[in-house]
Amino acid sequence: MFSGFFDESIMKRAIDNKLIEVNIVNIRDYANDKHQIVDDSPFGGGPGMLLKIEPLSKALESLKHSKIIYTSPQGKTFNQNIAKELFKEEEITIIAGRYEGIDERVIEEFVDMEISIGDYVLTGGEIPAMAIIDAVSRLIPGVLGNKASYEEDSFYNGLLDHPQYTRPAIYKNKKVPDILLSGNHAKIEEWRLKKSLERTKERRPDLLEKRKFTKKEMILLKEIENEK
Ligand code: 4HQ
């Protein structure tokens, strides 16, 4: 599951350029029986299986300087602030659970942070692990081609993206907003900020509640209010 992600494009370049180092551990290598069994049924009954405690703890025991993360719907919901926090870590270990989950004692003993990538159920923790690795890696200088693009993406400033357009200027009678073709960079920046505020207010008012506003933003928000 990880090969497509790490062997292509941006992640591959980041690894080749030694900006990130990735080590994929197969938990089966830590199983102690000849059949390399890593799952077992839950105490108390019920459907499905859990990852056994011994192989997992054996794999985690040797880690001394790693922030250990377990991905599950019970975790704190992942967001850009958590990505920024993890970006400061020297080393991160993510347990990508399979089956119905892992033994709670592994979480108590080893896990520093339980993270959910959203309120839905997946079949395994691999995709959450990749989502976390992706969001954190792109913050590392040099991982993205041009510096500017990560700063301008959604959530960098706690707002959603403004609408964006590329050629042609007219497509099926739909015209790109004139201001973007004006060459007036100050006006364009103001228009973009206003659209970001407008969209965030419309679609994600929760993001605005947590945010402080500059004078300029206050003025634009007033304008948005008056235009309704
Ligand atoms: N999982 N955010 C792994 C998730 C999930 C999520 C379900 C994680 C199954 C074993 N993880 N267990 N949502 O749905 O992080």
Side-chain angles (χ1 to χ4, degrees):
M1 280 187 82
F2 291 105
S3 63
F5 180 61
F6 289 121
D7 300 350
E8 314 266 331
S9 68
I10 293 178
M11 286 300 146
K12 179 173 171 29
R13 202 179 58 210
I15 294 166
D16 290 348
N17 294 340
K18 305 207 173 350
L19 297 169
I20 59 172
E21 194 184 309
V22 179
N23 185 12
I24 301 168
V25 175
N26 186 349
I27 215 66
R28 228 175 260 289
D29 297 341
Y30 290 84
N32 45 13
D33 63 306
K34 74 167 192 253
H35 298 293
Q36 298 192 293
I37 289 168
V38 294
D39 62 329
D40 205 346
S41 49
F43 276 124
M49 302 293 267
L50 300 175
L51 267 177
K52 280 171 71 69
I53 197 164
E54 296 93 338
L56 249 186
S57 59
K58 228 194 277 175
L60 295 169
E61 254 157 22
S62 62
L63 298 168
K64 290 283 174 287
H65 309 286
S66 212
K67 183 105 174 171
I68 300 179
I69 296 165
Y70 175 56
T71 60
S72 89
Q74 286 72 49
K76 194 171 166 199
T77 309
F78 192 56
N79 61 27
Q80 195 63 21
N81 285 334
I82 300 176
K84 282 184 211 163
E85 225 176 275
L86 294 177
F87 159 74
K88 296 181 202 147
E89 297 291 331
E90 192 61 37
E91 186 179 290
I92 297 168
T93 297
I94 306 174
I95 306 166
R98 273 270 142 184
Y99 317 113
E100 266 50 66
I102 65 179
D103 191 298
E104 190 65 23
R105 291 166 294 180
V106 174
I107 299 175
E108 287 166 7
E109 191 171 343
F110 297 101
V111 172
D112 298 306
M113 200 176 194
E114 201 165 340
I115 294 179
S116 166
I117 62 160
D119 293 337
Y120 40 81
V121 185
L122 302 167
T123 53
E126 293 86 353
I127 289 170
M130 287 187 266
I132 294 165
I133 293 166
D134 191 288
V136 175
S137 299
R138 68 189 288 289
L139 298 176
I140 298 167
V143 167
L144 293 184
N146 57 333
K147 232 192 253 133
S149 64
Y150 95 88
E151 292 179 349
E152 287 183 9
D153 273 323
S154 293
F155 299 117
Y156 170 72
N157 60 1
L159 299 175
L160 300 182
D161 269 355
H162 49 77
Q164 306 189 86
Y165 303 88
T166 184
R167 271 177 285 243
I170 302 170
Y171 172 73
K172 292 184 178 170
N173 293 327
K174 278 182 163 284
K175 206 173 169 306
V176 170
D178 286 329
I179 183 85
L180 297 177
L181 310 175
S182 71
N184 185 335
H185 293 293
K187 281 277 168 220
I188 290 171
E189 274 323 296
E190 187 185 282
W191 181 86
R192 286 179 168 164
L193 179 57
K194 188 171 172 180
K195 286 293 172 190
S196 281
L197 286 162
E198 202 174 316
R199 276 192 159 179
T200 311
K201 193 166 186 260
E202 184 83 16
R203 301 180 190 185
R204 294 291 308 278
D206 58 302
L207 294 177
L208 293 187
E209 274 158 37
K210 300 176 212 148
R211 198 173 172 284
K212 291 193 184 81
F213 302 107
T214 63
K215 271 211 190 87
K216 176 95 238 172
E217 289 167 350
M218 294 290 271
I219 294 167
L220 292 171
L221 280 167
K222 275 255 163 59
E223 278 181 34
I224 293 165
E225 195 64 43
N226 292 336
E227 281 160 16
K228 274 198 288 185

